[in-house]
Amino acid sequence: MSERAGTSERAGASERAGASEEPGASERPGATPGAGRVALVTGGSRGIGAAVVHRLAADGLTVHLVYREAEEAARNVVAAVTAAGGRAVAHRADVADEKQVVDLVERIADREGALHVLVNNAAVIDDRLVAATPTAHWERVLRVNLTGPFLACREVLPLMLDQGWGRIVNISSNSVRIPGPGQSAYAAAKGGLEALTRTLAVEVGRKGIRINTVAPGKVRTEMTDAVAERLGSDGAGTRWGLPEDISGLVAFLAGEEADYIQGQTFTVDGGRLVMRAAAGARPRRAGVPA
C-alpha cells in the first residue's frame, strides 16, 4: 500500500490479515444488521473508537479503522475482530492532514466499491487556560477535533450521495455543556462539531443521509483509568462510563432503524448533566431546611 496515501506497510499487513481480497463488501451476504456495508472509524485503535469498531464488525460491517500512532493497538483490534469472524482493516493517517484524508477515502472506495458509515471519533486534548494557550496549540486542537471531521465528511459525502444512503456519527463531548478549566479549545471544537452536524443535516438530509452526534460524559479508557480509580463516582452518584456504553448508540445511529433521526446530539453520561441541573435548580419548599 502506498505511503503516499498515508498508510504504512505494516498497516498493509494488518489489512491483509484483517480482511480477505474478496470483491466489495456489498457483494457479501449475511443476516447481521450491517451485512454488506462498509464503515470508516477514525481514532479506532483504542477507547471509544475501538469499541465502535468491535460493535460495527459484530453487526456485519466491514470496518476500516484509522490510527495515527498506536499501531500495535490498531493491529490488536484488527486481530480481535478477525478472530471473532469479522472484517477490519487498519490505516495509518492523520485526520488533520487534508491530503491523507483524501487519499484514505479514495483508497477505501477503490477497495470496497462503497462507503456507508463514517464515525468521526479521532480527537486530541490539550487543556490549557486561555491566557496560557499558544496559538499553535489552539489551532492543533481545532484542526484535529473539527477540521478533521469536516474533511472526512466532505470526502465521504459524494459516495453517500451516489448511493442514496449514508450514516455519519460525530463524537462530541459533554465538555460543550459542562466545560472544565483549560478546556476552551476542546469545548469550542466539539461545539463546532455539533453545529457541523446540524448544518450537514440541513444540506443532505433529504438525500438518504443521516448525520447525528453522540456526546459522551466521563468515559473510562486507558487514558482515564487512573483518574477514574481515584475519583470514583461524582457528587451526583453517576459512575464512569465504559466505551461499550457509547458504542451501542453509535451502532444504532449507523443502522436502518435510525432513519427518522436527523441532526441530533445525544448525551450519554449516566444522567450527570440532568442531575447537576436538577440539583442546582431544585426549589426549596417552605418549612424545609436547606
Side-chain angles (χ1 to χ4, degrees):
M1 185 164 291
S2 172
E3 286 291 327
R4 178 187 62 83
T7 303
S8 68
E9 292 300 325
R10 292 194 190 97
S14 296
E15 189 169 22
R16 291 188 293 273
S20 67
E21 294 300 326
E22 299 172 358
S26 59
E27 301 176 23
R28 191 164 50 88
T32 47
R37 290 189 176 142
V38 180
L40 169 60
V41 180
T42 68
S45 61
R46 294 182 291 194
I48 293 172
V52 170
V53 171
H54 283 290
R55 178 57 187 268
L56 293 180
D59 283 350
L61 287 84
T62 295
V63 186
H64 291 256
L65 67 98
V66 180
Y67 69 96
R68 189 169 69 93
E69 295 178 345
E71 181 175 332
E72 182 178 359
R75 291 170 64 87
N76 289 341
V77 171
V78 169
V81 167
T82 304
R87 302 181 74 226
V89 182
H91 303 265
R92 172 178 287 173
D94 183 351
V95 299
D97 185 304
E98 182 173 6
K99 184 176 186 303
Q100 291 188 39
V101 174
V102 171
D103 290 343
L104 170 71
V105 174
E106 180 181 345
R107 186 165 63 252
I108 294 171
D110 288 345
R111 177 190 176 96
E112 304 290 353
L115 210 173
H116 304 91
V117 175
L118 168 65
V119 180
N120 282 310
N121 174 72
V124 296
I125 298 175
D126 187 1
D127 288 354
R128 298 165 184 258
L129 297 175
V130 171
T133 301
T135 302
H137 289 260
W138 169 273
E139 290 177 344
R140 173 62 180 169
V141 172
L142 266 67
R143 184 149 191 89
V144 174
N145 296 0
L146 182 55
T147 303
F150 156 75
L151 293 171
C153 289
R154 188 188 69 188
E155 295 307 308
V156 305
L157 279 173
L159 300 171
M160 293 180 175
L161 288 168
D162 285 345
Q163 296 160 179
W165 197 97
R167 298 289 187 266
I168 298 175
V169 183
N170 294 320
I171 306 300
S172 181
S173 169
N174 246 9
S175 294
V176 175
R177 282 153 287 281
I178 314 175
Q183 290 191 312
S184 57
Y186 183 78
K190 292 298 189 179
L193 183 59
E194 294 182 9
L196 177 64
T197 293
R198 294 188 293 272
T199 304
L200 286 176
V202 171
E203 291 183 358
V204 299
R206 291 185 173 87
K207 307 295 184 180
I209 302 170
R210 304 292 175 259
I211 303 125
N212 292 287
T213 299
V214 174
K218 51 185 188 180
V219 175
R220 188 165 184 161
T221 65
E222 298 94 328
M223 293 178 61
T224 62
D225 196 50
V227 177
E229 286 286 353
R230 186 172 70 252
L231 296 181
S233 62
D234 65 16
T238 59
R239 65 172 172 84
W240 281 73
L242 300 174
E244 291 74 18
D245 292 321
I246 311 302
S247 61
L249 177 56
V250 173
F252 172 74
L253 293 173
E256 285 285 358
E257 293 180 308
D259 188 63
Y260 200 54
I261 303 173
Q262 180 71 289
Q264 302 302 306
T265 294
F266 294 88
T267 297
V268 186
D269 67 349
R272 181 169 181 254
L273 183 62
V274 69
M275 289 178 188
R276 285 169 59 105
R282 187 178 297 124
R284 190 186 312 164
R285 290 182 294 172
V288 178

